[in-house]
Amino acid sequence: MSEPCPAGGVSESAVAAILRCVNFSAIKHRKQRRKDPQQTPYINHPIGVAYLLVEAGVKDVDVLQAALLHDTVEDTDTSPQELLDAFGPRVAGLVAEVTDDKSLPSKERKRLQIVHAADASHEAKLVKLADKLYNLRDLERCTPVGWTDTRVKEYFKWAAQVVAGCRGTNAYLEGELDKLFMKWNKEL
Ligand SMILES: Nc1nc2c(ncn2[C@@H]2O[C@H](COP(=O)(O)OP(=O)(O)O)[C@@H](OP(=O)(O)OP(=O)(O)O)[C@H]2O)c(=O)[nH]1
Ligand SMILES: [Mn+2]
């Protein structure tokens, strides 16, 4: 892995690269809140996803940056070109791999995530697994405003199908997901 470098090409430490990325993502998500009753700031989610990857032993700074940025193109005004300019082709490419096409109806987007999971790169699968683990743990913590029990169960069932396509990538993340799936299978 090469030293992380901003678009200007000046050498940058890993810590600086991560903090530049957290700052970028926080600015982009600043108007967003999570769907929980407490309206938690949205940025808690990308930071939490990146930290799950740290807990999973991932040391690749590009992957940690992609986790921090993973919802910026899908959910904010961020363009792929902006990510390319600020974080380079590898990070921008990983974010593109985990970004849904919002012009498609929700049902089709969900279907495509299942279909495409297995074709994703190893690094994109890492981000996908951490994203699903964070969201499922969040669902356990509390139900998003307006969600019925059925919708929560449907999300679990769908997430299990996406995770199935990402298996063989990281034992820690898959083990943590399996603990949740085992618990939920009893209730489904
Ligand atoms: N569990 C949970 N999810 C919340 C909350 N607030 C926002 N979300 C986001 O909602 C998405 C899941 O809700 P859905 O209804 O299935 O997705 P949609 O909004 O994109 O249609 C996730 O998007 P995503 O990260 O892009 O992931 P994914 O849907 O691709 O898995 C998740 O991050 C919350 O309080 N709890
Ligand atoms: Mn996400």
Side-chain angles (χ1 to χ4, degrees):
M1 197 205 350
S2 57
E3 275 296 297
C5 255
V10 183
S11 180
E12 185 185 39
S13 74
V15 172
I18 292 293
L19 288 175
R20 184 166 62 84
C21 191
V22 172
N23 187 52
F24 180 100
S25 191
I27 290 167
K28 289 298 188 177
H29 286 295
R30 72 189 180 283
K31 292 182 193 151
Q32 269 181 289
R33 295 289 178 273
R34 298 287 284 172
K35 298 169 183 168
D36 58 338
Q38 298 86 0
Q39 299 190 308
T40 302
Y42 196 86
I43 190 63
N44 283 38
H45 168 63
I47 292 175
V49 171
Y51 192 64
L52 280 173
L53 291 173
V54 171
E55 290 185 318
V58 174
K59 294 187 171 39
D60 186 332
V61 172
D62 288 348
V63 176
L64 300 178
Q65 287 193 317
L68 289 166
L69 298 166
H70 80 273
D71 279 330
T72 55
V73 174
E74 197 174 298
D75 294 336
T76 78
D77 65 2
T78 310
S79 68
Q81 186 64 47
E82 248 182 302
L83 295 188
L84 192 63
D85 293 343
F87 301 103
R90 187 158 177 255
V91 174
L94 287 175
V95 176
E97 275 197 86
V98 300
T99 297
D100 284 355
D101 180 351
K102 278 275 180 107
S103 69
L104 298 172
S106 169
K107 238 186 156 174
E108 178 63 358
R109 278 190 272 134
K110 299 268 171 206
R111 189 187 71 80
L112 288 174
Q113 276 207 39
I114 297 170
V115 171
H116 290 149
D119 300 327
S121 65
H122 174 84
E123 292 83 355
K125 283 178 184 171
L126 284 170
V127 178
K128 275 175 178 286
L129 287 168
D131 190 22
K132 294 295 176 279
L133 178 57
Y134 186 103
N135 285 333
L136 293 173
R137 282 183 176 170
D138 227 11
L139 279 182
E140 268 216 309
R141 184 178 63 84
C142 67
T143 304
V145 174
W147 284 36
T148 59
D149 281 358
T150 310
R151 182 156 176 197
V152 172
K153 284 174 187 168
E154 287 304 317
Y155 188 89
F156 260 85
K157 276 196 252 178
W158 167 77
Q161 289 175 275
V162 179
V163 166
C166 298
R167 289 206 182 263
T169 302
N170 182 279
Y172 172 78
L173 294 172
E174 290 162 49
E176 290 300 302
L177 282 158
D178 282 338
K179 282 187 212 165
L180 285 179
F181 292 141
M182 271 193 286
K183 204 165 141 190
W184 275 80
N185 273 334
K186 284 182 204 149
E187 295 175 33
L188 290 177

